[in-house]
Amino acid sequence: MKILDVLTEYGARSLDRTFSYLYLGEREIAPRYRVKIDFNGHLAMGFVLAVHETAKSKAQLTEENGYEFKEIKPEDIIDEEPLIDEKMFELAKKVSDYYFAPLISVIQAMLPLSLSPKLAALHGPKIAYEKWVELISSDESDLTDKQIEALRLIAMNAPILKKEVGSPSILEKLVQKGRVRVIKKEKQRFQIPPEEREEPHEMTILQRKAYNEILESPKNVVLLQGVTGSGKTEVYLRLSEKVLSEGKTVLMLVPEINLTPAMVEYFSRRFGPKVAILHSELTPGERYDEYRRIANGKAQIVVGARSAVFAPLKNIGLIILDEEHVESYKQDNAPYYHAREVAIMRGEEENCKVLLGSATPSLETKARAFRGVYGYAEMNQRINEKALPKTTILDLTDRKNFNRNSEKLSAPLQEKIKEKLDHHEQILLLINRRGYWTGVNCPKCGHIFTCPNCGGNLTYHAEDNMLKCHHCGFVQRYPSECPDCGNTRLRRIGYGTERVVKELNELFPAARVARMDSDVGKVSKNVEKVIKDFHDGKYDILVGTQMIAKGHDFPNVTLSAVVLADIGLSLPTYRASERTFELIAQAVGRSGRSIKTGEAMIQTYNPDHYAIRFGAKQDYETFFRYEMNQRKIAQYPPYTYLVLLEFNSKNETKAIEASYDFKKELEMQEIESLSTVGPIVPYYSLNNGKYKRILLLKFKKQEEVLQYLKAALPRFNGLSGVDITVNVDPLDY
Ligand code: ADP
Ligand code: ZN
C-alpha cells in the first residue's frame, strides 16, 4: 500500500500543504502526477508531491492519525508521466518561496489549461488529430478510371489530407487494394506564418564586440545596454544561432504581447519552423499544441511574453529578456512574479546565460551590473551612426507657446507636425492615457464618478460612450445626469488618446491619423495591423500610449512628440521618475532610426524636472546617478527590499484591525533595518468591492523579515474575514 502526499488545486495560503491519501492499485503513480481526489466531500484535482510505501494496514493508519485516509483509485490517476520535469519543479518551489505564493498556484501558472493541476483541465482542449493519406504503390493495374484519377492525385501530393482526396468510397477501395494507407497525425492548431528566410546582416564592430563580451563574460547574467537603434535584435539573433548550433535551446522574452509578432518575425526569418510562440492570447487549444511542440523538442526557440518564462524547453542555452526595464514583466496579481527574476532563477537551474537588454535599464539591473554582480556589455551608437534626435522641451505653463487653434498641442508642435506632413515624413505622438476625458464629476454637488470595485477614477471613452475603469475593467454607460443631485451639466476633465486624435483631425484634416492603445489592442491582431499599416506608410501620424514607445522600428518617423510628459510623475510610486525618464527616452528614441535625422518634442508642466531633462537628452548615465541618490535618501530599492501586504475584507473595520495588529506584532520583533509605511488607504481603495488597507515593509536584510513573514502569514490568514495578499518587490508605492 502507498501513501500519497497530495497538494490540492486550491491556491489559498491556509491550504498550502499536502494531504495524505491511500493508494492500493497497480497502475503506476509517482510524484508530479495529477490525481482526482475527494477533498472535504468535493471532487477536486490533486498534485502528487511524494509517494511512500507503507507496511501498515488501513486500520493501523486510522488509529495513528485519528481519522481515516481517503483512497485514490487507479482510474483517478490522470497522467502517465510527470506533469513537469524535476528542473521545472525546483523552479516552481523557488518561485513559490520567493514570492510567498502557494506552490500549487505557481505550478498552475506554468501550464496550459489542459495540463494544469485543476479540475477544469478535464474540460480543457484535447489533442486534435487529422487524417492523412500516404502512398504505398502507384501501380494502376486493375483500377477503375476514377480510382486511377484519385491515385494520381495522391501520388502527386502525398502525404495529403484525407479530406482533400474527395470520395471516401474510392479512397476506401484504394486502401483495400493496398495502394495507399490512412494515418492519424496530431493536428497543430496554431502555425506561425512561414516567413521568407533572410540572410543575416554583417555585424557592426560594436555588435561584434558586445557579442563577444556577452559570450566571454564570467557572469551568468549579463546586461546589454544599447541605445535605441543600436541593433540589439541582431545580437540576440547571432547569440541564438550560436547556442542552437551547440544543440541547445533559446528562450526569448518580450515585455508585451503586442511586441511578439515583430520578434517572432525576426526569429522565424532566421530560424524557420524551429520557433514557437507562447502567450496568453493563443486559444487554450493553440496554447496546448505549442506547449507540446516545445515539450517534445520540436521547437528549439520560444518567443513570448511574461508567462513564456515557464516554457517547457529542455537544455536551455540562453534566456533573453528584451526591454528588461518594462514593468509588464511583473504580474500584477498573485503570484505577483517578475519574469526577470524568474528568468534568473531558471538560468541558475539550467546553468545558462541570461541576457538582459535595454536602452534604459531598470535601476535594479543597472546597479547590479555596476557592482559587478552582473556582466555588462554596451552599444552606445546607433546602427545608422546618426546622432540621437534633436529634442526640444516645451513649457506648457508658458502661454507664449500656444495659439488659438489648440489648448493641447502647442504652436511649435503644430508647426513641426505641419512641416513633417509636408515632407511626407511620419510622426509619433505619445500621450500615456487612453480614452477621451480622464475624469468626470458633478460641479454642483461634488460627486466624482469612481469605480465601485476598486475605487479608482472612471475615464470617459467617446468611441462607445462609456465610463471605464482602467484598473479593473469595470464599465458603465455614460450617464446623462449626476446620480446624486440630478444635475445634467457634468464637468469633464483631462484628456487621453481619443481626444488627441480628434484634435489632430480638426487641425490637420488631410492627415491620416491612427490610434494605438490597449483599447485598440484588445485584439492583438489589430495592433499588428495598425503597426504594419503605419510602417507601410498608410498613416501619417500615430497617436498612442506607451505601447508605441517601445521596441518598434519605424524608419520613416522623423518626429516623435510626448504630448504630456507629466502624467507619470504624480503617480503614487517610488518609480515615478524612473518611469517618466524611460518613457521619454524611449519615445525620443523612436525618431530618426533610418536615413533621415530625427527630432523630438516634449510638452510638460515641469520643464525643469530631472527625469524630463535627462529623458529628453537620453542621458541615461546622469539620470542613473541622480536617481540612485534620490533612492538612497528615501531608502527605496535598489537600496532596500520591499514587500507590500494588502489586507482585504468585506468588513472595513476588520481590514483596519488586521493591518494594525500585523504591524504591531511585526514591530515587536525588533528586526534590524526594517521599517513599515502604513497602514494606509491605497489609491485603489477597494479590491473587487472589498475594503483594502496596505502596509509596506522596507528592509535591508531579507533573512529575518522573510522568516517572520513565513511564520506569521498563515496565522494571520486564518483570521476570519480577512484575506492577506503579499506582493514581493512591488512596483507601486
Ligand atoms: P534596438 O533594438 O537596439 O533599438 P534594432 O535591433 O531595432 O535596434 O535595430 C535598429 C535597425 O538597425 C533595424 O532596422 C535593424 O534591421 C538594423 N540593423 C541592425 N543590425 C544591423 C547591421 N549589422 N547592419 C545593418 N543594419 C542593421
Ligand atoms: Zn475598477
Side-chain angles (χ1 to χ4, degrees), residues 225 359-361 363 366 370 378 577 581 610-630:
Q225 188 176 350
T360 53
L363 251 68
K366 179 70 175 179
F370 208 75
E378 181 183 52
S577 293
F581 169 84
Y610 66 97
I612 291 175
R613 281 202 340 265
F614 296 138
K617 281 198 277 187
Q618 295 206 59
D619 183 354
Y620 179 84
E621 302 304 323
T622 315
F623 173 77
F624 173 71
R625 283 196 297 275
Y626 195 101
E627 181 65 8
M628 282 296 274
N629 204 31
Q630 301 293 103

Side-chain angles (χ1 to χ4, degrees), residues 326-343:
V326 177
E327 295 189 350
S328 40
Y329 275 125
K330 168 125 174 138
Q331 178 149 315
D332 59 6
N333 47 40
Y336 292 105
Y337 69 89
H338 196 302
R340 181 180 59 225
E341 303 313 312
V342 177

Side-chain angles (χ1 to χ4, degrees), residues 84-234:
I84 51 177
D85 66 17
E86 242 159 275
K87 276 188 181 162
M88 289 302 276
F89 183 60
E90 286 306 312
L91 180 67
K93 283 201 287 196
K94 270 192 189 173
V95 173
S96 154
D97 254 10
Y98 185 82
Y99 289 103
F100 291 97
L103 182 56
I104 197 74
S105 73
V106 177
I107 296 170
Q108 286 166 345
M110 287 178 153
L111 291 157
L113 174 63
S114 304
L115 293 174
S116 189
K118 44 179 147 178
L119 215 48
L122 300 179
H123 309 291
K126 308 270 180 296
I127 298 175
Y129 291 97
E130 53 196 357
K131 287 184 175 159
W132 291 78
V133 180
E134 283 180 345
L135 185 73
I136 300 171
S137 151
S138 49
D139 173 14
E140 293 179 359
S141 54
D142 85 12
L143 296 185
T144 67
D145 288 352
K146 287 224 161 122
Q147 290 167 358
I148 291 175
E149 190 193 357
L151 187 65
R152 286 184 185 173
L153 174 82
I154 294 166
M156 252 162 26
N157 299 290
I160 177 172
L161 272 172
K162 180 173 174 245
K163 60 180 183 231
E164 284 168 7
V165 175
S167 162
S169 57
I170 294 176
L171 182 67
E172 188 53 36
K173 285 271 155 23
L174 290 175
V175 173
Q176 278 167 17
K177 293 184 177 171
R179 303 308 204 288
V180 302
R181 71 175 144 250
V182 177
I183 56 159
K184 217 164 99 171
K185 267 203 229 173
E186 271 187 34
K187 181 178 166 182
Q188 208 59 45
R189 272 162 287 202
F190 176 79
Q191 247 150 20
I192 299 175
E195 294 284 346
E196 263 181 48
R197 291 301 186 98
E198 177 192 68
E199 280 309 304
H201 293 292
E202 194 63 43
M203 276 196 280
T204 63
I205 294 170
L206 279 181
Q207 283 171 326
R208 190 174 301 281
K209 186 162 165 287
Y211 171 90
N212 287 326
E213 280 170 358
I214 293 161
L215 285 180
E216 283 157 20
S217 170
K219 305 286 178 188
N220 261 353
V221 184
V222 181
L223 167 63
L224 170 60
Q225 188 176 350
V227 295
T228 51
S230 59
K232 292 186 286 295
T233 317
E234 185 61 37

Side-chain angles (χ1 to χ4, degrees), residues 701-722:
K701 293 198 185 122
Q702 277 179 304
E703 196 69 9
E704 264 180 283
V705 180
L706 300 190
Q707 241 172 36
Y708 172 73
L709 287 178
K710 212 143 258 162
L713 280 169
R715 195 152 41 79
F716 272 84
N717 259 300
L719 290 182
S720 68
V722 184

